[in-house]
Amino acid sequence: MASVKRKLYQRLLFFLLFLPISGVLCFSELFFVKEPHDVTVMRKEAVILDCQARGEATIDVRWLKNGVKLVENERVYLLSNGSLYFSEVESRRGDKSDEGFYQCLAQNKYGAILSQKARLTIASISSFAIQPTSIVVTEGSVARFSCKISAHPPPIITWEFNRVTLPLTTERITVLPSGVLQIYGVQRADAGNYRCIATNIASRRRSTEATLTVTPALSPQLPQRPRIITGPQNISVSLHQSAILECMATGNPRPIISWSRADSKSIDVYNTKVLGNGNLIITDIKPQHGGVYMCRATTPRTRNYTVAAANVTVLAPPSLSEWPESLTRPRAGTARFVCHAEGVPTPQITWLKNGEKVHSNGRIKMYNSKLVINQIIPEDDAIYQCQAENEQGSVLSMARLIVVMSEDRPSAPRNIRADTVSSSAILLAWERPLYNSDKVIAYSVHYMKAEGLNNEEYQVVIGNDTTRYIIDDLEPACNYTFYVVAYMPMGASRMSDNVFQHTLEDVPLRAPELSLTSRSPTDIQVSWQPLPDKLSRGRVSGYRLSYRTSSESAVSQIELPGEKTQHLLENLQPDTIYLLRIVAATSIGWGEQSAWTSHRTPKASSARVPLAPELHLEPLNCTTITVRWQLAPKNSASVQGYKLFYHEESQPESAPLQLRASDYAHTIGGLDPRKKYHVKLLAYNVVGDGYQADQTISTPGCVSVRDRLVPPPPPPHNVYAKTNSSTAVFLHWGRPAFTSSQAVNYTVRCNPVGLQNASLVLYLQTSVQSLLVRDLEPNTKYEFAIRLHIDQLSSPWSPVVYQSTLPEAPTLPPSNVKVTLIEEDTALISWKLPDEPNVAVTHYTILYASRNAWIAGEWQVLQREGSITMALLENLKPGQVYLVKVSASNSMGDGPFSHAVELTVRTDLSSGQDLRLSHAFSDGFYHLDQKSMTGISVGVCIALICIIICAFIIICRGKNRYFLPLSSDDSHGPLMSQFFLYTEKKRKWFFFSGGVKKDSKTISASYQPGITVLTYEEELSMSLNQPPTLQVLLGRPGDTEGSSNSEGSHETGDSGRYSHDETELTNLSGPSSRPPSLTAEDGGDSDCSSPAEEPNELSEDSQTDMKVKESVDSSRCEHEAQSVSQSALSV
């Protein structure tokens, strides 16, 4: 006993010691475990926006609506877990409406974080924006009607012909989800009135009727070339939605429609199918589905065809490819956070500090996707979030900045001075700190441009043996600001006072780039752009323009003021090549002259040739430029095409590119960085070449950052990811080609796309070039990146590769299933996704049947795509009660069916009652009418009275007998405190107590505390095929789904794949219908003469009761058995 206690104390001590350590190891300051998501609800409906935060207590949660703090009221208030509850959603106008964007803000002692935005939309349906219009078509041709309506959620579109619903797809008729009705091979019977029906959970709307008139066809019919009467349109589709490309063609004979991609890639056959007679529908659209799709209509057995094309743009919400990481920095240090996001359209990056937007100032700068905090102060200790947002959504990632404080910090450097040395250098000097200057180990010099916003700050670290430093990489003619910080081993001093200094001017670094055109055969219009500050290196005071003919050496010069950007050279010779160049000057002197640029003046002819186009050049990147042009309005000469010339400076001119007359832009690629190119463009017609336009442009450099002294190694390449299962992905990559033979280690970064908590990013280490990443979430898209480490150097991250884990079959049924009767014979069923994370649903299965058909196992089956959460149940019979249930399925399997929903179709609709009569099963039992409930209530009352009378008789007869109590527990009342056993051959009647549990299979009836209950036990060896007595009394043959009665049904029965229903309690007599309370309390065999063996694991109290029970049985068994039997049998 002592050893057991000692071990217990040791374990308790270990737990107490490990608890604080584990708290440190597993510490996470503040993060969300649940965030709100977009939701669409009906007016007056209750809804909850989830928000649950974890971290160190105490956590305060607030909500924002459209960026403003939300005020709670009796209708909208906060739940205990931080979620926001709406008891009734309102759709009033203005600020009183509950529609909008919601975010929750969680805060504790470390800071505050903001959740992603969730949009609350109230279900609605507007009037038709496009109504179908009447048309007249020829018999045998095609007809098309269209309608368009705006609704939330998107509506189901159906069509009616003469007030009768048309099927969605037949051999000749196709109904597109976009609201288009197509009829091929029109017949005279198709003439009539058509109208569009739009239905969603909010309402149902009908369009105006349009008439189709069919005229007789000509006989005989003449051959016709194929003609696309309705081609595909450019569309933008959100990720995982469906895209519909319509293509409708006519001709004689009827043309064949085929689809292809303009980039020659194959069309995804798994997510793409042809709907009707040539329409292309792409389901579960992904980024790789974006591109130009071409519809081609071809006459059979000929080469006659026509083509129509459309671009599909896949819109994607933001996803982070690089996110900020938490930093620990000393006071007066510098912190840099980096955040990169991808998405379509391009996401906008916003930085938040404790949930509030960060604004730039002298210390805090934002460069594109970077956040730089200089001269850190204690107030900078906070949680920072990077928010990437576009039209499709938002994503946030957080990181914490911890500011380390230290004692005995030196004071700031004193008396800082700056003196200009040249146009690019300034001498900075200062004095040592007044206090603790002997502890200074280094100084850091900080400088940046004084003018403009978001200027990048540079830092240079020097030793403690000097107080002077020359900064020599400055730009001429610019103002700079400087300050100095002293460092010691435990931290940094405060920043010194700022000092401003201006660099001197210098001669221009290079000349402007010329643009040359001719307005007549005897002139040249010369124009140029002003030099940027980096190239002018001061204020330009003048230009010098030089020109000559190519056959002469004499040069003419013209000096122009620095404000001019163009000049017209006149009185020149026609059809002559002129060479021109320009040079710029500042107050310091003239800069470098440009290279000679050639231009030929037009011929002196009366023929009408095109004038020079207006030319615009723009560099796209370091190797590509874009050429754009337009003709002047007065240029009336007809143009047959363009000729484009380009060549590198000092290189010979190459052959021209021939461009069409309809072109107004061209991209020139494959150029060299940091090179100057001459571009010439002219238009031509039947007479000859027109006037030319010449322009010069320089390509930028490919590297915009300063070269490092030790370049990092290249990242791994050829990263390959393959899904192994729903929880594992295999990665493989190649080692970059470098000569080092040192050992290489790799870091693998893994996280779900759109992860918002940087602390949940998974980093794995390996020394080989492959890795199996395990324990991933099913049906989740992950992004992987790899970097290598060698000799204390780390490469950049490799390009991100994306891979999704396989889904799992749904484990839950669709939620919030509702059925609404919207017409006499039509009902609308709606549902939501199963309440489980990362569930993938490819299609839904709807089963519905009348009660009589349900008993026979005959179900009607509907299937809908995974993106659709509504369906219409049509042709319902009046006076019937229908049962409806829904299941979700994907490629991995089928999920369970939802609880069945009961729908009553009334026969008399004139009473004005609401047709929306949907009732769900309650615990598996039907809702009964008033008469049935009255009969059941009377029967239950009579049964209870009989039970009470019987119990009273038993108690009265038992007063004269001596019963030894088996349990002293009186919590169940006087009727349950005493118990006895009786055996007669192989049938036993006995009372039982909840105190002793025995294992036995019995048929039991439910009981209430305080009521004496008898249990009856059959011998275990009875035939399994013979129904027990209680089953004979309560069972209803033929009332179970999947029984033999359904075998002859022509519909799909529940005995097949649709046998997941758990709501119809038809097997009341089966083992599954036993109340759990009785199953746990059933008595076992207890023979008076030979007591049954008890399990060895009985408690001490149970063993004591059994000993007392055996003594009673041995002494009074024969005396009491007969009287007990009589009492029991009388009951």
Side-chain angles (χ1 to χ4, degrees):
M1 190 68 183
S3 61
V4 174
K5 290 185 177 180
R6 188 180 304 108
K7 290 182 179 178
L8 181 62
Y9 290 147
Q10 290 175 355
R11 292 178 180 177
L12 181 61
L13 180 61
F14 175 78
F15 176 77
L16 293 176
L17 291 175
F18 180 76
L19 183 61
I21 297 175
S22 64
V24 173
L25 295 177
C26 303
F27 171 73
S28 186
E29 295 90 347
L30 186 63
F31 62 94
F32 288 111
V33 294
K34 273 191 177 181
E35 296 189 66
H37 295 278
D38 294 347
V39 62
T40 301
V41 296
M42 295 183 63
R43 186 173 175 270
K44 298 294 183 180
E45 190 177 23
V47 68
I48 295 177
L49 296 180
D50 291 325
C51 179
Q52 294 184 25
R54 293 288 184 270
E56 288 203 8
T58 58
I59 300 176
D60 178 43
V61 176
R62 302 193 305 269
W63 280 85
L64 306 178
K65 177 186 176 183
N66 298 328
V68 180
K69 182 180 178 181
L70 180 69
V71 180
E72 299 181 43
N73 52 48
E74 67 279 356
R75 189 177 53 81
V76 182
Y77 53 88
L78 208 64
L79 299 180
S80 58
N81 64 352
S83 300
L84 188 65
Y85 178 72
F86 296 78
S87 60
E88 288 185 354
V89 176
E90 291 289 348
S91 60
R92 302 173 184 173
R93 293 183 178 179
D95 297 336
K96 295 183 180 180
S97 174
D98 291 328
E99 286 189 308
F101 293 93
Y102 290 82
Q103 290 175 285
C104 71
L105 181 72
Q107 185 173 13
N108 65 1
K109 64 180 181 180
Y110 295 104
I113 56 175
L114 198 63
S115 74
Q116 66 182 11
K117 289 183 179 180
R119 184 175 184 179
L120 175 63
T121 306
I122 299 176
S124 63
I125 186 167
S126 63
S127 301
F128 280 92
I130 298 178
Q131 299 272 7
T133 57
S134 299
I135 56 175
V136 179
V137 299
T138 305
E139 184 178 359
S141 61
V142 296
R144 179 181 181 272
F145 294 100
S146 66
C147 66
K148 185 176 181 181
I149 193 169
S150 177
H152 295 283
I156 297 175
I157 302 294
T158 57
W159 286 83
E160 290 183 352
F161 170 56
N162 293 335
R163 305 296 177 92
V164 177
T165 302
L166 287 172
L168 294 181
T169 303
T170 65
E171 184 179 353
R172 297 189 305 110
I173 299 175
T174 302
V175 177
L176 300 183
S178 57
V180 174
L181 172 64
Q182 298 175 342
I183 305 175
Y184 278 84
V186 175
Q187 302 172 359
R188 292 187 179 182
D190 296 330
N193 297 323
Y194 293 82
R195 68 175 179 179
C196 172
I197 312 295
T199 309
N200 71 355
I201 59 175
S203 181
R204 168 178 260 202
R205 290 191 180 274
R206 297 174 173 84
S207 70
T208 58
E209 290 188 332
T211 303
L212 173 62
T213 303
V214 181
T215 60
L218 298 176
S219 182
Q221 294 185 0
L222 299 177
Q224 293 181 352
R225 293 180 62 88
R227 182 171 61 92
I228 296 178
I229 59 175
T230 303
Q233 303 295 319
N234 294 338
I235 56 173
S236 298
V237 185
S238 299
L239 201 64
H240 303 304
Q241 298 300 311
S242 296
I244 300 172
L245 298 175
E246 184 183 5
C247 188
M248 198 173 185
T250 183
N252 187 28
R254 181 176 170 181
I256 299 173
I257 294 179
S258 60
W259 287 89
S260 62
R261 290 181 56 127
D263 54 9
S264 300
K265 294 182 180 178
S266 60
I267 294 180
D268 183 4
V269 296
Y270 296 101
N271 294 83
T272 306
K273 63 181 180 181
V274 176
L275 189 63
N277 291 275
N279 310 289
L280 192 70
I281 178 169
I282 308 172
T283 59
D284 189 21
I285 197 165
K286 297 178 177 63
Q288 60 264 29
H289 292 139
V292 177
Y293 289 78
M294 295 188 299
C295 165
R296 175 169 172 163
T298 307
T299 302
R301 296 181 298 276
T302 69
R303 295 184 179 180
N304 296 330
Y305 68 89
T306 182
V307 176
N311 183 57
V312 175
T313 303
V314 181
L315 304 178
S319 62
L320 296 178
S321 56
E322 188 173 2
W323 45 86
E325 297 180 356
S326 296
L327 302 174
T328 300
R329 293 291 183 267
R331 181 174 177 175
T334 300
R336 290 179 174 86
F337 295 106
V338 180
C339 181
H340 290 289
E342 300 173 349
V344 180
T346 303
Q348 298 293 324
I349 301 293
T350 304
W351 288 95
L352 306 174
K353 175 186 176 183
N354 288 337
E356 297 182 357
K357 188 175 181 180
V358 176
H359 299 281
S360 297
N361 55 37
R363 293 188 311 109
I364 301 176
K365 304 293 181 183
M366 286 176 283
Y367 316 100
N368 298 327
S369 58
K370 294 182 181 179
L371 173 65
V372 180
I373 306 175
N374 299 300
Q375 279 302 299
I376 295 174
I377 59 178
E379 288 75 14
D380 294 329
D381 192 317
I383 299 177
Y384 293 84
Q385 288 179 283
C386 163
Q387 176 177 276
E389 186 176 13
N390 65 6
E391 300 171 359
Q392 298 298 303
S394 64
V395 63
L396 296 97
S397 180
M398 70 174 185
R400 186 183 169 201
L401 173 60
I402 302 174
V403 180
V404 179
M405 307 295 293
S406 61
E407 301 296 333
D408 297 331
R409 293 186 301 116
S411 57
R414 302 172 295 152
N415 300 332
I416 183 170
R417 303 177 304 278
D419 296 314
T420 300
V421 177
S422 67
S423 61
S424 60
I426 290 178
L427 172 63
L428 198 66
W430 62 92
E431 295 182 7
R432 294 181 179 273
L434 187 60
Y435 302 105
N436 297 324
S437 61
D438 56 329
K439 298 181 180 180
V440 174
I441 59 173
Y443 294 98
S444 66
V445 176
H446 302 255
Y447 61 98
M448 62 186 297
K449 285 184 178 181
E451 291 92 0
L453 298 175
N454 291 333
N455 293 320
E456 187 170 359
E457 181 179 277
Y458 299 97
Q459 179 180 356
V460 179
V461 179
I462 61 176
N464 63 350
D465 56 345
T466 182
T467 57
R468 297 164 61 90
Y469 187 76
I470 295 179
I471 300 99
D472 57 359
D473 57 350
L474 307 178
E475 295 180 11
C478 288
N479 271 319
Y480 284 88
T481 176
F482 304 86
Y483 66 87
V484 183
V485 177
Y487 281 88
M488 59 178 291
M490 297 302 295
S493 70
R494 295 190 306 274
M495 56 187 290
S496 67
D497 296 332
N498 281 276
V499 63
F500 296 87
Q501 189 61 27
H502 193 277
T503 53
L504 299 176
E505 287 188 347
D506 205 340
V507 297
L509 191 60
R510 70 182 187 198
E513 294 171 345
L514 295 178
S515 176
L516 308 174
T517 58
S518 292
R519 299 179 180 178
S520 69
T522 59
D523 64 27
I524 297 178
Q525 176 70 39
V526 184
S527 59
W528 60 91
Q529 294 292 329
L531 289 172
D533 293 339
K534 287 185 178 181
L535 301 179
S536 65
R537 304 205 288 187
R539 189 184 68 84
V540 175
S541 58
Y543 297 98
R544 180 185 296 159
L545 179 63
S546 305
Y547 64 96
R548 64 179 177 88
T549 63
S550 59
S551 58
E552 299 177 356
S553 58
V555 177
S556 303
Q557 293 184 345
I558 302 174
E559 291 197 5
L560 305 170
E563 294 80 17
K564 295 199 66 174
T565 58
Q566 60 181 2
H567 181 71
L568 180 63
L569 296 177
E570 299 179 303
N571 300 322
L572 304 179
Q573 302 175 15
D575 194 20
T576 303
I577 297 177
Y578 281 85
L579 303 178
L580 300 93
R581 67 182 179 185
I582 194 171
V583 62
T586 63
S587 59
I588 304 300
W590 293 97
E592 181 182 356
Q593 294 189 103
S594 67
W596 290 104
T597 301
S598 64
H599 180 80
R600 179 186 289 272
T601 55
K603 296 179 180 179
S605 172
S606 59
R608 297 286 303 277
V609 295
L611 299 178
E614 297 180 10
L615 185 62
H616 303 279
L617 304 180
E618 180 182 357
L620 281 182
N621 51 50
C622 58
T623 61
T624 309
I625 60 175
T626 299
V627 184
R628 293 186 175 87
W629 63 90
Q630 61 182 8
L631 290 174
K634 61 182 180 179
N635 195 354
S636 58
S638 59
V639 175
Q640 290 187 333
Y642 296 94
K643 294 181 181 179
L644 177 65
F645 304 80
Y646 69 93
H647 64 92
E648 186 182 340
E649 187 179 61
S650 71
Q651 296 294 326
E653 189 172 85
S654 59
L657 297 176
Q658 298 286 340
L659 304 176
R660 295 174 299 181
S662 58
D663 292 338
Y664 291 96
H666 184 74
T667 300
I668 302 175
L671 308 180
D672 294 330
R674 300 185 185 276
K675 297 290 185 179
K676 185 174 289 188
Y677 287 86
H678 295 291
V679 180
K680 180 172 66 175
L681 181 72
L682 59 87
Y684 63 89
N685 59 10
V686 293
V687 177
D689 293 344
Y691 295 4
Q692 67 184 33
D694 294 88
Q695 194 169 338
T696 305
I697 188 172
S698 297
T699 54
C702 289
V703 181
S704 58
V705 298
R706 302 182 180 185
D707 296 333
R708 302 180 184 179
L709 296 177
V710 180
H717 57 83
N718 297 336
V719 181
Y720 169 76
K722 181 181 180 181
T723 302
N724 269 28
S725 65
S726 59
T727 59
V729 172
F730 177 74
L731 296 176
H732 184 272
W733 58 89
R735 175 173 171 169
F738 52 85
T739 57
S740 175
S741 60
Q742 297 180 354
V744 175
N745 294 317
Y746 301 92
T747 299
V748 177
R749 187 185 75 201
C750 167
N751 64 276
V753 173
L755 181 68
Q756 302 172 11
N757 187 359
S759 62
L760 300 180
V761 178
L762 182 63
Y763 294 93
L764 303 173
Q765 306 291 330
T766 182
S767 58
V768 296
Q769 293 172 219
S770 62
L771 181 67
L772 182 63
V773 185
R774 305 175 184 270
D775 301 326
L776 304 179
E777 293 292 331
N779 192 39
T780 303
K781 186 177 182 180
Y782 284 86
E783 56 184 41
F784 301 91
I786 304 168
R787 72 192 311 178
L788 64 84
H789 312 278
I790 179 172
D791 193 23
Q792 298 182 350
L793 292 176
S794 298
S795 74
W797 289 105
S798 68
V800 175
V801 296
Y802 298 93
Q803 190 66 28
S804 298
T805 53
L806 296 176
E808 289 185 339
T811 59
L812 295 176
S815 61
N816 201 21
V817 178
K818 296 180 181 180
V819 183
T820 305
L821 194 64
I822 57 177
E823 286 189 353
E824 297 179 4
D825 62 345
T826 304
L828 174 69
I829 177 172
S830 63
W831 61 89
K832 294 183 180 178
L833 280 170
D835 291 331
E836 55 183 316
N838 302 325
V839 60
V841 178
T842 58
H843 66 275
Y844 293 96
T845 301
I846 304 104
L847 299 184
Y848 69 99
S850 63
R851 183 171 294 177
N852 296 333
W854 165 69
I855 293 175
E858 298 175 357
W859 292 91
Q860 300 288 334
V861 183
L862 293 178
Q863 286 196 343
R864 292 294 180 264
E865 294 180 2
S867 59
I868 299 174
T869 57
M870 289 185 297
L872 291 177
L873 308 180
E874 298 177 317
N875 301 323
L876 303 180
K877 298 179 181 179
Q880 295 286 339
V881 177
Y882 283 84
L883 305 176
V884 187
K885 55 185 180 179
V886 187
S887 77
S889 306
N890 59 23
S891 58
M892 306 302 292
D894 303 323
F897 278 90
S898 63
H899 293 296
V901 176
E902 184 177 345
L903 173 71
T904 303
V905 181
R906 296 291 182 90
T907 56
D908 183 12
L909 301 177
S910 61
S911 59
Q913 296 180 355
D914 189 2
L915 293 178
R916 300 184 179 186
L917 303 173
S918 65
H919 305 282
F921 280 27
S922 176
D923 299 330
F925 294 93
Y926 303 128
H927 287 293
L928 303 175
D929 56 16
Q930 186 173 0
K931 293 181 180 180
S932 300
M933 290 301 298
T934 303
I936 292 174
S937 301
V938 173
V940 171
C941 292
I942 295 174
L944 290 176
I945 293 173
C946 294
I947 292 173
I948 293 172
I949 294 174
C950 294
F952 181 76
I953 294 173
I954 293 172
I955 293 172
C956 291
R957 291 187 178 185
K959 286 183 178 180
N960 297 328
R961 298 187 182 92
Y962 173 75
F963 293 95
L964 181 63
L966 296 180
S967 174
S968 60
D969 185 9
D970 296 327
S971 61
H972 297 294
L975 298 182
M976 297 296 290
S977 62
Q978 293 181 343
F979 306 83
F980 60 89
L981 302 171
Y982 166 70
T983 62
E984 181 182 357
K985 294 183 179 180
K986 295 190 178 183
R987 297 174 182 248
K988 284 80 65 178
W989 289 96
F990 58 92
F991 288 97
F992 60 91
S993 168
V996 180
K997 299 182 180 180
K998 300 178 179 63
D999 297 330
S1000 177
K1001 297 183 179 180
T1002 62
I1003 306 296
S1004 306
S1006 60
Y1007 71 96
Q1008 300 292 332
I1011 299 176
T1012 302
V1013 180
L1014 297 177
T1015 65
Y1016 178 75
E1017 180 179 47
E1018 288 287 344
E1019 182 180 357
L1020 295 177
S1021 61
M1022 66 184 296
S1023 175
L1024 296 177
N1025 296 328
Q1026 179 180 355
T1029 305
L1030 188 61
Q1031 183 175 359
V1032 173
L1033 295 176
L1034 299 179
R1036 289 183 1 201
D1039 197 26
T1040 59
E1041 296 182 38
S1043 66
S1044 60
N1045 295 339
S1046 64
E1047 293 178 0
S1049 172
H1050 65 279
E1051 301 292 345
T1052 301
D1054 274 356
S1055 59
R1057 55 172 285 174
Y1058 307 116
S1059 59
H1060 305 288
D1061 192 5
E1062 300 175 357
T1063 61
E1064 293 80 13
L1065 292 185
T1066 58
N1067 296 325
L1068 293 176
S1069 61
S1072 61
S1073 63
R1074 298 179 53 161
S1077 60
L1078 291 186
T1079 304
E1081 302 289 334
D1082 288 346
D1085 289 344
S1086 180
D1087 196 294
C1088 182
S1089 61
S1090 59
E1093 295 181 1
E1094 295 294 329
N1096 296 329
E1097 291 80 12
L1098 290 176
S1099 63
E1100 295 179 1
D1101 295 339
S1102 302
Q1103 294 174 1
T1104 304
D1105 292 343
M1106 291 304 300
K1107 291 178 181 179
V1108 176
K1109 176 181 174 184
E1110 290 175 4
S1111 64
V1112 173
D1113 291 341
S1114 63
S1115 61
R1116 291 182 172 83
C1117 180
E1118 296 179 357
H1119 174 73
E1120 294 177 356
Q1122 185 176 0
S1123 60
V1124 173
S1125 175
Q1126 294 174 356
S1127 301
L1129 291 176
S1130 64
V1131 177

